[in-house]
């Protein structure tokens, strides 16, 4: 476990040194080891054009498996499944379809997230195995906002991805980035239960 912690701290420090620009919907933990369970906490920092947030839709990157959203009080959770280009096995079963999209929607105007407040939306899943070079998983997020009477609406697509590398410098609406370094040395993840 100590090797695992040192490995992550070192990689995280290197990651931060090259990524100084952050979007308004970001992941709380932006580095995680491959082939482990990952708790994705999406931080929503503000509304759209002064309007409260009424919906957060997350498009899951390829390789992110078995997503399970956490319920959010006052919000309805919906999941969309899709056929996988590369099926996988989990608990002795072949998985050919998996969650591709998770959406939280406020049940009423009173449940919407005010524009001047922040909140977190959570899901978990399993990260792909990574060998050799680091992987970048980009979670694209659609933030929808509306006035209490529904007369004014606005959306923001946090979906920009750099053409190369992982630096979000220069992007106005970057997707939420998760860096997945190469697998840790043998034995470093042995204590992790995969789901």
């Amino acid at each position: 476990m100590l090797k695992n912690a040192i490995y992550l701290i070192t990689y995280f420090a290197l990651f931060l040194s090259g990524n100084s620009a952050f979007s308004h919907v970001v992941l709380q933990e932006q580095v995680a080891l491959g082939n482990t369970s990952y708790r994705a906490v999406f931080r929503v920092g503000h509304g759209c054009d002064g309007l409260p947030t009424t919906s957060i839709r997350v498009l899951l990157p390829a390789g992110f498996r078995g997503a399970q959203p956490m319920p959010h009080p006052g919000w309805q959770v919906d999941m969309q499944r899709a056929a996988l280009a590369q099926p996988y096995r989990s608990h002795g079963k072949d998985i050919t379809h998996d969650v591709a999209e998770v959406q939280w929607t406020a049940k009423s105007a009173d449940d919407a997230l005010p524009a001047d407040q922040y909140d977190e939306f959570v899901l978990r899943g399993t990260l792909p195995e990574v060998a050799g070079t680091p992987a970048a998983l980009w979670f694209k997020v659609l933030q929808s906002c509306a006035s209490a009477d529904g007369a004014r609406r606005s959306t923001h697509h946090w979906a920009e991805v750099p053409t190369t590398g992982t630096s979000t410098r220069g992007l106005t609406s970057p997707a939420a980035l998760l860096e997945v370094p190469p697998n840790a040395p043998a034995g470093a993840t042995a204590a992790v239960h995969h789901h």
Side-chain angles (χ1 to χ4, degrees):
M1 282 307 247
L2 181 58
K3 279 184 186 178
N4 193 10
I6 292 170
Y7 187 77
L8 272 178
I9 290 168
T10 303
Y11 192 83
F12 187 66
L14 290 172
F15 166 75
L16 281 181
S17 67
N19 288 277
S20 59
F22 294 102
S23 67
H24 295 285
V25 175
V26 297
L27 288 164
Q28 177 180 337
E29 299 295 331
Q30 299 173 357
V31 179
L33 291 176
N35 201 32
T36 62
S37 180
Y38 174 68
R39 186 175 184 264
V41 179
F42 295 90
R43 290 182 169 173
V44 179
H46 60 71
C48 329
D49 302 318
L51 298 172
T53 300
T54 55
S55 174
I56 294 292
R57 184 174 64 169
V58 178
L59 306 179
L60 303 175
F64 190 83
R65 300 175 175 177
Q68 296 177 303
M70 179 182 285
H72 199 80
W75 293 63
Q76 177 179 321
V77 181
D78 295 297
M79 295 182 285
Q80 297 293 322
R81 296 181 182 277
L84 296 173
Q86 295 182 343
Y88 65 94
R89 287 187 66 76
S90 178
H91 298 284
K93 295 180 183 176
D94 290 325
I95 308 299
T96 59
H97 289 71
D98 208 347
V99 177
E101 183 180 310
V102 174
Q103 181 167 333
W104 291 268
T105 306
K107 292 180 180 178
S108 72
D110 290 338
D111 295 314
L113 174 61
D116 61 352
Q117 296 179 22
Y118 92 98
D119 206 343
E120 299 173 338
F121 296 82
V122 182
L123 61 86
R124 74 173 186 176
T126 301
L127 298 175
E129 232 177 294
V130 176
T133 57
L137 298 185
W138 295 94
F139 293 80
K140 297 180 178 181
V141 180
L142 173 64
Q143 179 183 10
S144 298
C145 303
S147 59
D149 61 5
R152 293 178 50 227
R153 297 184 176 276
S154 182
T155 58
H156 203 105
H157 296 263
W158 303 102
E160 288 182 291
V161 174
T163 53
T164 59
T166 58
S167 175
T168 56
R169 190 169 292 131
L171 301 180
T172 56
S173 301
L177 170 63
L178 175 66
E179 283 270 8
V180 184
N183 289 345
T189 59
V192 178
H193 181 72
H194 306 291
H195 267 284

